[in-house]
Amino acid sequence: MGNKSSMQLQQEEIDEIQKETGFSHNQIVRLFSRFTSLDKNNNGFLSREDFLRIPELAINPLGDRIVHSFFLESNEETVNFKQFMSVLARFRPTKSNESKNKLNTREEKLKFAFKMYDLDSDEKISRDELLAVLHMMVGDNISEDQLNSIADRTITEADEDGDSMISFVEFKKVMERVDVEQKMSIRFLN
Ligand code: CA
Ligand code: CA
């Protein structure tokens, strides 16, 4: 009767994803139905446009960068459910008493954040890239002069080898003072 979706989640897939990402069985099932509802043409893959139907991403000033990051690892124009879950794992809020999953460590979250700033993917954050991301985050609430001085100060503070760029190692040192776990937790499950 009728034409039900051909997309089904197998128990083994759930187990595998659970092991890899640390999401619970119920969360995986829920995220799968979320995934399926975003997948308008029902082929098991999400495109960039599909992602922008997530209201939380559409209104996030960094939404475009976050969406971009889903595609960094797939090297394609679409993302399947497993790729989707492995990126979401980086945003999964962690409880302090929980043993950390390998995709959800501080190091992984920092790498992910670093990629969001590194717009041209050359493994360094330039002053222009920093400025561009600052723009996306604050919009027009802060004057150009102020943004410029924030960018200058950040580079000066972070740059240890004097190349006027921020490497991942330098980035990590700056972020030592920041509660990344909290900041990098985006709740897709609500
Ligand atoms: Ca760069
Ligand atoms: Ca540097």
Side-chain angles (χ1 to χ4, degrees):
M1 305 235 328
N3 234 348
K4 277 226 105 188
S5 160
S6 54
M7 288 280 297
Q8 292 290 338
L9 200 54
Q10 304 299 322
Q11 183 60 43
E12 332 163 354
E13 278 178 281
I14 296 178
D15 293 344
E16 204 180 315
I17 292 169
Q18 196 169 358
K19 208 186 287 169
E20 200 186 312
T21 63
F23 282 111
S24 73
H25 184 283
N26 284 347
Q27 286 175 320
I28 295 169
V29 171
R30 238 182 317 155
L31 284 165
F32 184 71
S33 85
R34 190 92 196 256
F35 181 93
T36 325
S37 69
L38 293 169
D39 178 17
K40 285 295 174 218
N41 56 1
N42 212 16
N43 65 352
F45 293 94
L46 297 186
S47 65
R48 283 167 205 269
E49 294 72 49
D50 290 333
F51 274 98
L52 290 170
R53 283 194 207 101
I54 304 174
E56 197 170 14
L57 285 181
I59 60 163
N60 186 322
L62 283 178
D64 182 55
R65 298 303 304 158
I66 296 173
V67 171
H68 175 71
S69 63
F70 277 91
F71 294 88
L72 282 174
E73 283 169 36
S74 82
N75 289 323
E76 306 204 5
E77 289 305 303
T78 52
V79 171
N80 67 24
F81 184 60
K82 278 180 83 172
Q83 292 163 332
F84 177 74
M85 291 302 287
S86 86
V87 175
L88 282 190
R90 273 109 169 160
F91 291 104
R92 189 170 62 85
T94 43
K95 301 188 187 84
S96 50
N97 61 353
E98 176 186 354
S99 68
K100 297 268 175 0
N101 179 274
K102 66 178 187 316
L103 285 176
N104 200 23
T105 59
R106 187 180 166 85
E107 175 90 6
E108 281 299 321
K109 287 189 178 187
L110 284 174
K111 257 189 219 159
F112 199 78
F114 184 82
K115 284 183 191 170
M116 276 193 225
Y117 285 91
D118 182 15
L119 304 174
D120 66 358
S121 308
D122 71 347
E123 311 281 308
K124 287 180 189 293
I125 301 170
S126 68
R127 187 179 180 282
D128 283 347
E129 286 169 333
L130 186 58
L131 213 47
V133 175
L134 285 172
H135 262 290
M136 294 185 235
M137 290 197 282
V138 302
D140 298 329
N141 300 324
I142 296 188
S143 76
E144 198 64 28
D145 279 356
Q146 284 171 300
L147 282 182
N148 272 301
S149 81
I150 293 170
D152 284 337
R153 198 171 23 163
T154 308
I155 300 268
T156 311
E157 275 174 23
D159 183 23
E160 293 192 329
D161 62 5
D163 68 351
S164 304
M165 311 250 244
I166 305 175
S167 65
F168 182 58
V169 174
E170 291 165 342
F171 183 75
K172 269 206 294 197
K173 289 202 180 149
V174 174
M175 299 300 271
E176 257 163 28
R177 282 163 275 160
V178 178
D179 185 356
V180 183
E181 265 81 2
Q182 219 38 55
K183 288 238 162 53
M184 286 284 294
S185 292
I186 293 180
R187 287 159 206 280
F188 284 85
L189 292 169
N190 299 339

